[in-house]
Amino acid sequence: MNHPVLPSYISAENVGPWHIYLQQVEQVAPLLDKSLHPWVETLRRPKRSLIVDLPIRLDNGEVAHFEGYRVHHNTSRGPGKGGVRFHQDVTLSEVMALAGWMTIKNAVVNVPFGGAKGGVRIDPRQHSCAELERLTRRYTSEISSMIGPDRDIPAPDMNTNAQTMAWMMDTYSMGEGRTVTGVVTGKPVSLGGSLGRQDATGRGVFVAAREAARRLNIPIEGARVAVQGFGNVGEASARIFAQHGAKVVAVQDASCTLYDPAGLDLAALKRHVAEHRSLLGAPCGEPIENADFWAVPCEFLVPAALESQINRYNAERIVAKLIVEGANGPTTPEAELILAGRGISIVPDVLANAGGVTVSYFEWVQDFSSFFWSEDEINQRLDRIMSDAFNAIWQLAEDRRLTLRAAAFVIGCSRVLEARATRGLYP
Ligand code: GLU
């Protein structure tokens, strides 16, 4: 098979989301306590990055090579933590940005982790389950010097799931000669995974939206919601919004956009996606132009797909009152300025989608103590952590007249840099 995936350095002129992450850091650097200024440079560079070659045997007997990455952005507050993404367009610069956002996110919800991320440049739709298993195992083996339950703990991200984590856990455990459940999170519950992890990011998106809506006087009951992405984050966010009385009027994935002002049948969409791997041809909603998704009349807009989806080309068309970032980096800084000028608030990714890593933290703690909690207990603790983090950010934003993103970055960066400054330099 001749696979069309190009190595990332072919598109070297495309600096990608890393540039956006750096702009976000630059924006808040002057707002940090003076004592932390000498350490800001720490945030501008990943601690270590690994590029690996992943040769795998395809089902037809041929060998194909894929490029993989693992980046530790920062480990000042604890081991690296962050997902692994399979996508044909993943680049090192994207993984660096995602790792940087993990550093900030983990500090915002105050879980004792640094920031890390991984990715493999592959289109998983073009490959069988057996090929993806071989790829995942080879990737795990190639990055094994970087990961470990007290070193760096991967988790699912775009196009990876509990099964991927089971393969990673098994491969790492084989190398160690013992079962090490705590090396990854987002595992199946039968292998030391946590109840509630599957829906955790979507649940956190809802909690963040609920807290913001309460302060902005937007009722959830009857509110209209538009969701971009119908994967783990988009589907769960949509379902939990609907459980609380909202109407999901539009969904979009890479294949199409579906609209129904009366509210879409989310269970039917979920069944369709489970069978066909996309929304195309789903039995409900009217297909509309992809570009028109952004102009759909709604109160809540939840981007839960890729980076830079809300940009200068569509920001003017958005009519939502509140954007809740289920994805990492979905809004460009240019779009953010346009939206701010139009009075549209954004609950930033480093807060809005932190529910996933928060329950990953619970999973890691449960694996260490071999004592497992009930789903109710997990959901309650998640709700508390998300609401407290939201509250602190809202307060700071009010007190210092900042956007929610700037306030979240001030809190996150301050925690990371305080740890950095207190640890001091080695040697
Ligand atoms: N991939 C998720 C994120 O972007 C979860 C990471 C984790 O649980 O470590 O936050």
Side-chain angles (χ1 to χ4, degrees), residues 231-414:
N232 179 257
V233 180
E235 185 279 322
S237 307
R239 174 163 35 84
I240 296 169
F241 260 106
Q243 280 164 4
H244 289 83
K247 245 182 351 190
V248 178
V249 294
V251 291
Q252 174 176 84
D253 71 2
S255 72
C256 69
T257 306
L258 299 172
Y259 179 57
D260 184 347
L264 293 156
D265 180 348
L266 297 172
L269 294 179
K270 189 178 178 179
R271 278 195 302 275
H272 183 88
V273 169
E275 200 180 326
H276 304 276
R277 291 167 111 184
S278 83
L279 290 168
L280 195 67
C284 63
E286 278 295 305
I288 59 169
E289 284 293 321
N290 285 337
D292 292 340
F293 169 79
W294 305 104
V296 160
C298 62
E299 280 71 41
F300 297 93
L301 174 61
V302 180
L306 279 167
E307 299 90 60
S308 302
Q309 296 297 298
I310 301 177
N311 47 49
R312 64 191 155 115
Y313 302 107
N314 56 26
E316 291 286 0
R317 300 189 66 201
I318 291 174
V319 293
K321 292 199 172 97
L322 187 65
I323 294 173
V324 192
E325 295 183 336
N328 293 308
T331 313
T332 66
E334 276 172 308
E336 198 161 344
L337 282 178
I338 298 172
L339 293 163
R342 299 183 52 227
I344 299 172
S345 305
I346 303 175
V347 186
D349 47 7
V350 292
L351 170 65
N353 71 37
V357 75
T358 300
V359 177
S360 276
Y361 166 58
F362 299 160
E363 179 172 333
W364 182 73
V365 169
Q366 291 171 85
D367 286 341
F368 263 111
S369 56
S370 299
F371 180 75
F372 291 86
W373 313 345
S374 73
E375 189 159 358
D376 266 358
E377 186 168 358
I378 283 157
N379 289 346
Q380 271 171 34
R381 285 180 190 261
L382 170 62
D383 201 307
R384 176 131 35 90
I385 288 183
M386 291 294 298
S387 322
D388 288 353
F390 183 93
N391 199 31
I393 289 166
W394 185 270
Q395 272 308 320
L396 187 70
E398 293 245 293
D399 293 350
R400 297 181 66 179
R401 306 190 64 77
L402 302 173
T403 62
L404 292 176
R405 188 181 322 276
F409 266 68
V410 167
I411 290 175
C413 293
S414 300

Side-chain angles (χ1 to χ4, degrees), residues 25-26 36-46 73 417:
V25 170
E26 286 331 305
L36 301 176
H37 287 190
W39 297 98
V40 171
E41 189 65 17
T42 301
L43 297 169
R44 297 192 185 108
R45 321 160 169 265
H73 175 264
L417 297 182

Side-chain angles (χ1 to χ4, degrees), residues 81-85 98 102 105-106 113 116-117 153-158 185-186 197 201 328 353-354 356-361:
K81 183 90 193 79
V84 176
R85 170 173 296 200
L98 293 164
M102 286 309 303
K105 187 190 305 187
N106 291 334
F113 294 130
K117 202 83 176 197
I153 306 107
D157 196 80
M158 188 172 280
T185 59
R197 175 64 184 85
T201 311
N328 293 308
N353 71 37
V357 75
T358 300
V359 177
S360 276
Y361 166 58

